[in-house]
Amino acid sequence: MEKLRSSFTGKLGFVLAAAGSAVGLGNIWRFPYLAAQYGGGMFLLVYIILAVTFGFALMIAEIAIGRKTGLSAIGAYKKLDKRFSFLGYIAALVPIIILPYYSVIGGWVTKYLFVYLTGNSSAAVSDNYFTGFIGSVSEPIIWFLAFVGLTFLIVLFGVEKGIEKVSKIIMPVLVVLSVAIAIYGLTIPGAFEGFLYYITPNIEHFSAKTVVAAMGQLFYSMSLAMGIMITYGSYMKKDVNVESSVHQIEIFDTGIAFFAGLMIIPAVFAFSGGDQAALNAGPGLMFVTLPKVFASMPAGNIIGGLFFLLVLFAALTSSISLAETVISIFRDKLGWNRIFTCIVVLIGCIVLGLPSSLGNGIWSNIKIIGMDFLTFFDFISNNVIMPIVALLTSILVGYIIKPKVIIEEIESSSKFKGKKLFSVVIKYIAPVCLFIILITSVLSAFGLMKI
Ligand code: PHE
């Protein structure tokens, strides 16, 4: 007999749980370095436009699919249309790919927290501290293992609920602290130029790359196109207003990303003396820039330590959500027990994470289509598989089951103000744009097109 699915208590419970999954390293680590690299204000503008159109439509669709079917991705797509069963499996691949490398970055955050706690933060200010750290063999692996271990301990002992409770307090503190650090950062001489770069869209900075990167980031940051929101929807009560929940999650998620950018990008300008090359630092940007900001602040050691602690929490709530998803995929399909599944997934995560860690050091000469392991896993999930899942989901909803089914599901609990926008995006705009984005990013990765 199927067990009754437990539900989130009310709207707040749903929004907080979904925001816990959505807000993580994507907002604080990934968004700022992409925004710095792909055009500052232009990237921000493109991202916001995509969030209120694609992000909105896709999140509505996924949550409604989950709530309507009461199933997670694999079962849900199958129930809607047998021919789309495979889509659930493709979506399931995404968290399997992301979790290992997410944990490598989570390890970097844990290491920086340790550095601040042990009062060694002055070393972290020097330019090659970060590259020296990620380039070494055992150190990043040890921190990666610590982060993975923490994630799985929490999952294994079933104390996620406790973590969720704590994170309800942590998240607002993180917001306040980020805003305070961002405001402080703006007072550093030279930062204002960076502020302008970050908030003024300059058409010269627009390129296909901006759109491709922003779209991938949107999926990643909002935990879309990987079945996660379907699962969350399946736990949502029938009387909760989906549309306003989606707005709240989007505002929260985008708001945190915005302030993370504000915290980091102006500071990059201030400390590099306006050297544009510093904007292309990539995944290391946060780790290189923030220690400098903290070092220049009064009580910077304490603030830095607190900051990395809060980021670690945000990263953990996301990695737990990723791990839970992967575990339930294996359990549902193979009928394994929980502990055994946890162990298998843990081992799998470690095996897949090691190359991502080593790829920054002794394995840096091994390249897959010109990318190190971490970049490759990030690319293949965000810029290939997720657009495929989103494209096929929009075709399924737009043309097979029809937007009406989703609209009815939303309207069963509340008015659906954005239904016109939803239908137009899901039927016409999403399929065409996603197709173009997908082709562009794949061709450019193989060097067949320059964008
Ligand atoms: N959205 C999370 C972030 O921004 C990452 C994540 C992706 C979490 C998928 C869970 C599932 O960090």
Side-chain angles (χ1 to χ4, degrees):
M1 220 175 65
E2 208 182 315
K3 269 199 283 168
L4 271 179
R5 283 182 100 80
S6 59
S7 300
F8 294 117
T9 43
K11 183 172 169 209
L12 188 65
F14 174 78
V15 170
L16 286 174
S21 164
V23 175
L25 295 174
N27 310 61
I28 301 156
W29 155 75
R30 205 170 184 278
F31 183 88
Y33 88 72
L34 290 178
Q37 197 168 354
Y38 295 114
M42 201 63 213
F43 181 88
L44 188 62
L45 179 69
V46 170
Y47 184 84
I48 291 173
I49 293 174
L50 293 178
V52 296
T53 53
F54 282 75
F56 169 73
L58 204 60
M59 195 179 289
I60 289 266
E62 291 198 10
I63 294 175
I65 288 175
R67 194 170 77 168
K68 186 175 170 52
T69 57
L71 299 167
S72 36
I74 296 184
Y77 282 117
K78 185 168 166 199
K79 192 165 173 185
L80 292 178
D81 190 298
K82 279 236 152 42
R83 290 165 299 171
F84 277 76
S85 300
F86 72 97
L87 190 49
Y89 291 96
I90 305 181
L93 266 180
V94 176
I96 297 176
I97 299 173
I98 292 187
L99 178 62
Y101 85 80
Y102 198 86
S103 305
V104 171
I105 319 284
W108 299 351
V109 172
T110 319
K111 146 92 181 175
Y112 271 67
L113 170 62
F114 182 78
V115 166
Y116 277 86
L117 287 182
T118 49
N120 288 327
S121 59
S122 52
V125 175
S126 89
D127 268 337
N128 24 28
Y129 183 81
F130 177 72
T131 34
F133 160 61
I134 60 164
S136 59
V137 178
S138 53
E139 235 211 305
I141 291 181
I142 292 170
W143 291 109
F144 157 62
L145 293 176
F147 184 86
V148 179
L150 209 55
T151 303
F152 278 83
L153 273 182
I154 295 167
V155 171
L156 203 57
F157 285 104
V159 290
E160 305 94 305
K161 289 278 165 303
I163 297 293
E164 265 166 35
K165 281 215 185 82
V166 181
S167 77
K168 280 178 200 169
I169 306 164
I170 297 266
M171 290 286 191
V173 183
L174 179 62
V175 176
V176 174
L177 189 70
S178 304
V179 174
I181 297 172
I183 293 173
Y184 171 80
L186 290 175
T187 66
I188 304 171
F192 193 69
E193 200 193 330
F195 173 69
L196 291 180
Y197 172 74
Y198 182 48
I199 59 148
T200 20
N202 179 343
I203 193 71
E204 279 164 31
H205 292 147
F206 183 85
S207 71
K209 262 191 187 149
T210 318
V211 184
V212 171
M215 186 64 113
Q217 172 61 15
L218 180 72
F219 296 142
Y220 187 95
S221 185
M222 298 198 178
S223 307
L224 291 172
M226 56 181 92
I228 289 195
M229 286 298 157
I230 298 186
T231 309
Y232 276 100
S234 74
Y235 292 117
M236 189 192 218
K237 287 222 173 92
K238 285 284 185 189
D239 58 357
V240 172
N241 184 330
V242 181
E243 190 180 26
S244 74
S245 306
V246 167
H247 284 315
Q248 287 176 3
I249 300 166
E250 285 199 314
I251 291 171
F252 202 56
D253 192 74
T254 309
I256 296 206
F258 175 77
F259 283 114
L262 202 55
M263 211 163 52
I264 294 172
I265 296 174
V268 174
F269 275 73
F271 291 113
S272 66
D275 176 10
Q276 298 282 323
L279 290 170
N280 292 323
L285 190 69
M286 163 178 133
F287 299 93
V288 175
T289 307
L290 284 180
K292 295 183 185 159
V293 177
F294 296 138
S296 77
M297 266 176 139
N301 280 335
I302 298 171
I303 294 173
L306 184 61
F307 175 79
F308 281 109
L309 180 69
L310 299 175
V311 174
L312 178 62
F313 259 94
L316 273 175
T317 53
S318 294
S319 66
I320 291 165
S321 136
L322 282 164
E324 286 278 5
T325 310
V326 177
I327 290 166
S328 66
I329 291 165
F330 280 92
R331 289 194 64 190
D332 287 354
K333 275 294 121 191
L334 304 168
W336 293 346
N337 75 40
R338 186 172 168 85
I339 297 194
F340 181 70
T341 320
C342 275
I343 294 169
V344 171
V345 175
L346 172 64
I347 294 171
C349 176
I350 292 173
V351 170
L352 283 175
L354 286 178
S356 292
S357 186
L358 292 170
N360 294 303
I362 51 166
W363 283 6
S364 58
N365 51 346
I366 309 178
K367 299 269 192 242
I368 315 173
I369 45 169
M371 303 172 196
D372 62 69
F373 284 101
L374 198 154
T375 313
F376 174 74
F377 286 132
D378 190 71
F379 167 78
I380 202 81
S381 49
N382 290 285
N383 296 353
V384 181
I385 307 182
M386 291 194 230
I388 294 179
V389 174
L391 173 64
L392 293 173
T393 305
S394 61
I395 292 173
L396 172 67
V397 173
Y399 298 93
I400 316 273
I401 64 165
K402 301 275 158 55
K404 212 175 102 225
V405 174
I406 302 291
I407 293 172
E408 276 168 9
E409 177 61 36
I410 311 284
E411 288 185 333
S412 70
S413 47
S414 56
K415 230 171 115 51
F416 187 3
K417 292 188 211 115
K419 68 179 166 193
K420 277 255 154 50
L421 174 71
F422 169 76
S423 303
V424 172
V425 172
I426 217 84
K427 268 188 102 147
Y428 307 109
I429 304 182
V432 175
C433 295
L434 285 166
F435 185 73
I436 297 172
I437 284 175
L438 185 62
I439 300 295
T440 314
S441 73
V442 171
L443 288 183
S444 74
F446 283 99
L448 297 171
M449 187 177 156
K450 214 171 149 36
I451 60 171

